Amino acid sequence: MNTPSELKYTKDHEWVKIEGNIATIGITDFAQSELGDIVFVDVDSVDDDLSAGEVFGSVEAVKTVSDLFLPISGQVTEFNSELEDQPELLNTDPYGAGWIIKLQIADGADTSELLSAEEYQASIG
């Protein structure tokens, strides 16, 4: 299972790449492998201010739909529009072309709940 060490992770299987006050967020390699073939990504929260733990969208696979939970409080500023025509990017390149949203991190947002790659690996066994 691919778990890049430069990223942070959540118990809900999202990954976070923080650059300054912008966070890029997607789902982990483990999550996409558990979901199977992803056929649709729904994010209707662009420009919304959301708190950590709130649902910012969903991913639909052949057999299931899974909510996406925001790992850090902030404003959703961008949705990866490539996913509209190519939702399978979440399967083929979850840490690259398969990113889902970009987030303007809220002032004072708590990042203490984010896991290191090692902690995330331990949580999924």
Side-chain angles (χ1 to χ4, degrees):
M1 206 55 52
N2 184 12
T3 312
S5 61
E6 70 274 12
L7 302 176
K8 296 291 188 182
Y9 300 88
T10 71
K11 293 179 176 100
D12 294 314
H13 312 293
E14 283 92 16
W15 60 262
V16 183
K17 180 178 183 182
I18 297 174
E19 298 172 295
N21 62 347
I22 300 295
T24 304
I25 299 167
I27 64 168
T28 64
D29 191 27
F30 175 81
Q32 71 79 22
S33 69
E34 291 291 300
L35 287 167
D37 292 337
I38 294 170
V39 296
F40 186 69
V41 181
D42 180 34
V43 172
D44 58 5
S45 55
V46 174
D47 296 329
D48 290 354
D49 289 306
L50 300 173
S51 297
E54 286 191 82
V55 173
F56 70 85
S58 62
V59 172
E60 184 177 333
V62 173
K63 297 179 183 174
T64 188
V65 175
S66 183
D67 284 337
L68 299 166
F69 298 96
L70 201 64
I72 310 171
S73 298
Q75 182 182 47
V76 179
T77 58
E78 187 178 346
F79 168 64
N80 182 356
S81 60
E82 295 291 314
L83 298 176
E84 291 176 339
D85 295 325
Q86 298 178 309
E88 68 275 5
L89 288 172
L90 291 179
N91 294 117
T92 59
D93 192 9
Y95 299 114
W99 64 274
I100 300 174
I101 62 166
K102 292 192 185 277
L103 179 81
Q104 174 87 36
I105 301 170
D107 289 341
D110 183 10
T111 59
S112 65
E113 295 293 312
L114 298 178
L115 307 173
S116 69
E118 296 77 23
E119 291 168 327
Y120 179 69
Q121 282 282 14
S123 77
I124 60 175

